Amino acid sequence: MKASFIVPLAILAGFISSAAAAGIPDPVGLELESFSGQMHQDRAGTLNKVRNLGFKYVELVGDYGQSPAELKKELGARGLVATSAHFPYAKFSDDADGLANEAAALGLTYIGCPSLPQRDDLDEQGVLAAATVFNHAGEVMTAHGLKFFYHPHGYEFKPYKNGTLFDLLV
């Protein structure tokens, strides 16, 4: 584990213990991207660490090369439950129905997109194209009982007219 994660995770683990002692059941989850490369190098060991830190709920970043059934089984063997996941923009634009089926098979509640194709070169046309994709994806996800979200990274907040590109996207 990178040293930069040791203190924040230790603090968070202490918070979880305190919250559980106060009768707040499973108050927080963990985005598995917090362990970035470790999930791809040693998925089983990383998931064991996550559970040993006291987490029950996790957010996935993609499917880690596994089928929904395999991934759900691997999480379940450790008492972990995926409540949300990030998937690439292309999956939302190219196969929203297939993605919704994958998310439903994982038992997710939330499904999100972590970035836009243009990233730093984002402009009005890119935002309008993304809004079209996201509106369709939102309809598809809602039809499958899922909640769609977008995870901004900052480049969406470039000035645009009287606000930002994010304002246009929303």
Side-chain angles (χ1 to χ4, degrees), residues 117-141:
Q118 290 180 304
R119 297 195 58 90
D120 293 331
D121 296 325
L122 187 63
D123 59 16
E124 179 181 14
Q125 291 74 32
V127 169
L128 294 175
T132 299
V133 168
F134 289 171
N135 284 334
H136 175 69
E139 291 171 3
V140 170
M141 300 310 146

Side-chain angles (χ1 to χ4, degrees), residues 75-87:
L75 293 168
R78 292 163 179 82
L80 299 172
V81 176
T83 58
S84 65
H86 291 183
F87 287 96

Side-chain angles (χ1 to χ4, degrees), residues 58-167:
V58 296
E59 179 177 70
L60 309 172
V61 178
D63 57 18
Y64 305 99
Q66 295 184 289
S67 73
E70 292 168 332
L71 186 52
K72 190 172 182 178
K73 182 179 178 182
E74 189 168 14
L75 293 168
R78 292 163 179 82
L80 299 172
V81 176
T83 58
S84 65
H86 291 183
F87 287 96
Y89 179 88
K91 282 196 167 191
F92 289 99
S93 67
D94 298 346
D95 187 15
D97 285 302
L99 187 53
N101 290 330
E102 184 176 347
L106 283 165
L108 302 178
T109 302
Y110 303 95
I111 181 168
C113 181
S115 65
L116 300 176
Q118 290 180 304
R119 297 195 58 90
D120 293 331
D121 296 325
L122 187 63
D123 59 16
E124 179 181 14
Q125 291 74 32
V127 169
L128 294 175
T132 299
V133 168
F134 289 171
N135 284 334
H136 175 69
E139 291 171 3
V140 170
M141 300 310 146
T142 298
H144 285 83
L146 299 162
K147 296 175 181 161
F148 173 78
F149 68 91
Y150 175 68
H151 177 146
H153 283 90
Y155 55 84
E156 309 87 349
F157 295 99
K158 288 195 295 190
Y160 172 78
K161 295 188 179 179
N162 293 325
T164 66
L165 288 171
F166 186 77
D167 294 325

Side-chain angles (χ1 to χ4, degrees), residues 10-54:
I11 292 169
L12 191 52
F15 169 76
I16 292 169
S17 298
S18 298
I24 302 171
D26 301 315
V28 296
L30 177 71
E31 183 184 66
L32 292 177
E33 187 63 15
S34 299
F35 292 96
S36 58
Q38 292 181 20
M39 277 297 292
H40 298 283
Q41 295 167 3
D42 180 13
R43 186 176 45 251
T46 303
L47 293 175
N48 288 336
K49 286 179 193 177
V50 169
R51 185 57 192 161
N52 290 340
L53 284 168

